Tab-separated table of all heavy atoms in Angstrom:
chain	number	residue	atom	x	y	z
A	25	GLY	N	-6.994	-0.482	1.005
A	25	GLY	CA	-7.267	0.708	1.795
A	25	GLY	C	-6.688	0.675	3.176
A	25	GLY	O	-5.518	0.337	3.386
A	26	ASN	N	-7.530	0.947	4.161
A	26	ASN	CA	-7.077	1.129	5.545
A	26	ASN	C	-6.435	-0.120	6.103
A	26	ASN	O	-5.387	-0.061	6.766
A	26	ASN	CB	-8.307	1.559	6.353
A	26	ASN	CG	-7.951	1.881	7.801
A	26	ASN	OD1	-6.937	1.424	8.323
A	26	ASN	ND2	-8.766	2.701	8.440
A	27	GLY	N	-7.055	-1.280	5.907
A	27	GLY	CA	-6.414	-2.515	6.341
A	27	GLY	C	-6.753	-2.937	7.778
A	27	GLY	O	-5.922	-3.601	8.415
A	28	THR	N	-7.931	-2.556	8.303
A	28	THR	CA	-8.240	-3.050	9.636
A	28	THR	C	-8.409	-4.528	9.675
A	28	THR	O	-8.107	-5.202	10.651
A	28	THR	CB	-9.507	-2.350	10.240
A	28	THR	OG1	-10.638	-2.722	9.470
A	28	THR	CG2	-9.322	-0.852	10.304
A	29	ASN	N	-8.901	-5.103	8.568
A	29	ASN	CA	-9.009	-6.581	8.499
A	29	ASN	C	-7.616	-7.230	8.430
A	29	ASN	O	-7.355	-8.267	9.035
A	29	ASN	CB	-9.871	-6.998	7.335
A	29	ASN	CG	-11.336	-6.899	7.707
A	29	ASN	OD1	-11.836	-7.720	8.489
A	29	ASN	ND2	-11.994	-5.906	7.161
A	30	LEU	N	-6.719	-6.574	7.711
A	30	LEU	CA	-5.326	-7.044	7.704
A	30	LEU	C	-4.773	-7.029	9.130
A	30	LEU	O	-4.112	-7.967	9.589
A	30	LEU	CB	-4.464	-6.163	6.780
A	30	LEU	CG	-2.941	-6.343	6.938
A	30	LEU	CD1	-2.520	-7.714	6.493
A	30	LEU	CD2	-2.163	-5.269	6.165
A	103	ALA	N	-8.815	-8.640	1.694
A	103	ALA	CA	-9.183	-7.897	2.911
A	103	ALA	C	-9.407	-6.424	2.540
A	103	ALA	O	-8.502	-5.565	2.710
A	103	ALA	CB	-8.099	-8.049	3.979
A	104	GLY	N	-10.601	-6.156	1.985
A	104	GLY	CA	-10.824	-4.799	1.503
A	104	GLY	C	-10.087	-4.559	0.185
A	104	GLY	O	-9.604	-3.443	-0.072
A	105	PHE	N	-10.020	-5.577	-0.666
A	105	PHE	CA	-9.372	-5.469	-1.960
A	105	PHE	C	-10.469	-5.118	-2.991
A	105	PHE	O	-11.410	-5.926	-3.173
A	105	PHE	CB	-8.671	-6.768	-2.337
A	105	PHE	CG	-7.955	-6.744	-3.652
A	105	PHE	CD1	-6.816	-5.953	-3.779
A	105	PHE	CD2	-8.352	-7.524	-4.728
A	105	PHE	CE1	-6.132	-5.923	-4.961
A	105	PHE	CE2	-7.665	-7.478	-5.938
A	105	PHE	CZ	-6.528	-6.661	-6.048
A	106	MET	N	-10.367	-3.937	-3.545
A	106	MET	CA	-11.500	-3.412	-4.325
A	106	MET	C	-11.318	-3.544	-5.832
A	106	MET	O	-11.666	-2.651	-6.591
A	106	MET	CB	-11.692	-1.941	-3.949
A	106	MET	CG	-12.038	-1.713	-2.487
A	106	MET	SD	-13.501	-2.683	-2.026
A	106	MET	CE	-13.981	-1.857	-0.499
A	123	ASN	N	-12.695	-14.057	0.820
A	123	ASN	CA	-13.006	-12.662	0.818
A	123	ASN	C	-13.903	-12.370	2.019
A	123	ASN	O	-14.664	-13.223	2.465
A	123	ASN	CB	-13.767	-12.322	-0.463
A	123	ASN	CG	-14.158	-10.837	-0.557
A	123	ASN	OD1	-13.346	-9.937	-0.245
A	123	ASN	ND2	-15.356	-10.544	-0.965
A	124	THR	N	-13.828	-11.139	2.459
A	124	THR	CA	-14.835	-10.685	3.451
A	124	THR	C	-15.629	-9.561	2.829
A	124	THR	O	-15.066	-8.639	2.217
A	124	THR	CB	-14.205	-10.263	4.770
A	124	THR	OG1	-15.287	-9.793	5.637
A	124	THR	CG2	-13.163	-9.177	4.656
A	125	HIS	N	-16.963	-9.663	2.957
A	125	HIS	CA	-17.824	-8.655	2.356
A	125	HIS	C	-18.752	-8.080	3.446
A	125	HIS	O	-19.338	-8.852	4.204
A	125	HIS	CB	-18.669	-9.305	1.218
A	125	HIS	CG	-19.544	-8.319	0.540
A	125	HIS	ND1	-19.038	-7.243	-0.196
A	125	HIS	CD2	-20.896	-8.183	0.508
A	125	HIS	CE1	-20.046	-6.520	-0.635
A	125	HIS	NE2	-21.177	-7.060	-0.262
A	126	PRO	N	-18.953	-6.745	3.451
A	126	PRO	CA	-19.695	-6.134	4.536
A	126	PRO	C	-21.219	-6.113	4.291
A	126	PRO	O	-21.881	-5.051	4.335
A	126	PRO	CB	-19.133	-4.712	4.613
A	126	PRO	CG	-18.736	-4.436	3.224
A	126	PRO	CD	-18.306	-5.744	2.610
A	134	GLY	N	-20.719	-5.790	-4.194
A	134	GLY	CA	-20.058	-4.591	-4.738
A	134	GLY	C	-19.386	-3.792	-3.648
A	134	GLY	O	-19.077	-4.285	-2.586
A	135	ILE	N	-19.204	-2.514	-3.939
A	135	ILE	CA	-18.288	-1.678	-3.094
A	135	ILE	C	-18.978	-0.784	-2.078
A	135	ILE	O	-18.271	-0.180	-1.265
A	135	ILE	CB	-17.313	-0.879	-3.951
A	135	ILE	CG1	-18.062	0.049	-4.910
A	135	ILE	CG2	-16.327	-1.767	-4.704
A	135	ILE	CD1	-17.062	1.002	-5.641
A	161	ASP	N	-18.817	-11.258	-5.131
A	161	ASP	CA	-19.350	-11.599	-3.815
A	161	ASP	C	-20.390	-12.732	-3.889
A	161	ASP	O	-21.381	-12.712	-3.164
A	161	ASP	CB	-19.917	-10.352	-3.120
A	161	ASP	CG	-18.861	-9.245	-3.015
A	161	ASP	OD1	-17.722	-9.540	-2.667
A	161	ASP	OD2	-19.206	-8.088	-3.277
A	183	HIS	N	-20.837	0.450	9.127
A	183	HIS	CA	-19.641	-0.263	8.650
A	183	HIS	C	-18.683	-0.548	9.762
A	183	HIS	O	-18.054	-1.623	9.805
A	183	HIS	CB	-18.955	0.558	7.526
A	183	HIS	CG	-18.045	-0.279	6.665
A	183	HIS	ND1	-17.580	0.145	5.449
A	183	HIS	CD2	-17.560	-1.529	6.793
A	183	HIS	CE1	-16.838	-0.807	4.921
A	183	HIS	NE2	-16.804	-1.825	5.703
A	186	ILE	N	-19.920	-3.593	11.453
A	186	ILE	CA	-19.712	-4.777	10.594
A	186	ILE	C	-18.222	-5.179	10.613
A	186	ILE	O	-17.879	-6.362	10.691
A	186	ILE	CB	-20.140	-4.467	9.135
A	186	ILE	CG1	-21.678	-4.238	9.089
A	186	ILE	CG2	-19.729	-5.599	8.190
A	186	ILE	CD1	-22.169	-3.743	7.729
A	187	ARG	N	-17.357	-4.151	10.591
A	187	ARG	CA	-15.923	-4.462	10.638
A	187	ARG	C	-15.577	-5.260	11.872
A	187	ARG	O	-14.742	-6.206	11.857
A	187	ARG	CB	-15.071	-3.192	10.629
A	187	ARG	CG	-14.798	-2.621	9.223
A	187	ARG	CD	-13.729	-1.568	9.301
A	187	ARG	NE	-13.297	-1.162	7.986
A	187	ARG	CZ	-13.808	-0.131	7.361
A	187	ARG	NH1	-14.762	0.604	7.896
A	187	ARG	NH2	-13.357	0.214	6.138
A	190	GLU	N	-16.208	-8.750	11.136
A	190	GLU	CA	-15.243	-9.259	10.197
A	190	GLU	C	-13.928	-9.606	10.886
A	190	GLU	O	-13.288	-10.647	10.596
A	190	GLU	CB	-14.966	-8.247	9.087
A	190	GLU	CG	-16.166	-7.955	8.244
A	190	GLU	CD	-15.827	-6.987	7.100
A	190	GLU	OE1	-15.483	-5.788	7.378
A	190	GLU	OE2	-15.872	-7.441	5.941
A	191	HIS	N	-13.536	-8.735	11.816
A	191	HIS	CA	-12.218	-8.925	12.468
A	191	HIS	C	-12.177	-10.204	13.268
A	191	HIS	O	-11.108	-10.746	13.499
A	191	HIS	CB	-11.914	-7.708	13.416
A	191	HIS	CG	-11.825	-6.405	12.667
A	191	HIS	ND1	-11.825	-5.178	13.261
A	191	HIS	CD2	-11.656	-6.195	11.346
A	191	HIS	CE1	-11.701	-4.269	12.353
A	191	HIS	NE2	-11.600	-4.787	11.181
B	8	GAR	C1	-14.198	-4.313	4.728
B	8	GAR	O1	-15.399	-4.007	5.454
B	8	GAR	C2	-14.489	-5.280	3.613
B	8	GAR	O2	-15.523	-6.149	3.901
B	8	GAR	C3	-14.869	-4.358	2.511
B	8	GAR	O3	-13.969	-3.306	2.614
B	8	GAR	C4	-13.683	-3.106	3.999
B	8	GAR	C5	-12.221	-2.928	4.121
B	8	GAR	O4	-11.907	-2.478	5.408
B	8	GAR	N1	-14.816	-5.021	1.239
B	8	GAR	C6	-15.685	-4.820	0.282
B	8	GAR	O5	-16.594	-4.023	0.322
B	8	GAR	C7	-15.472	-5.685	-0.959
B	8	GAR	N2	-16.678	-5.865	-1.681
B	8	GAR	P1	-10.398	-2.505	5.924
B	8	GAR	O6	-9.474	-1.917	4.873
B	8	GAR	O7	-10.438	-1.659	7.181
B	8	GAR	O8	-10.050	-3.930	6.210
Side-chain angles (χ1 to χ4, degrees):
N26 186 336
T28 65
N29 279 288
L30 167 65
F105 183 66
M106 297 306 197
N123 180 43
T124 178
H125 182 65
I135 58 172
D161 302 318
H183 201 165
I186 294 171
R187 276 194 172 93
E190 296 184 292
H191 297 166

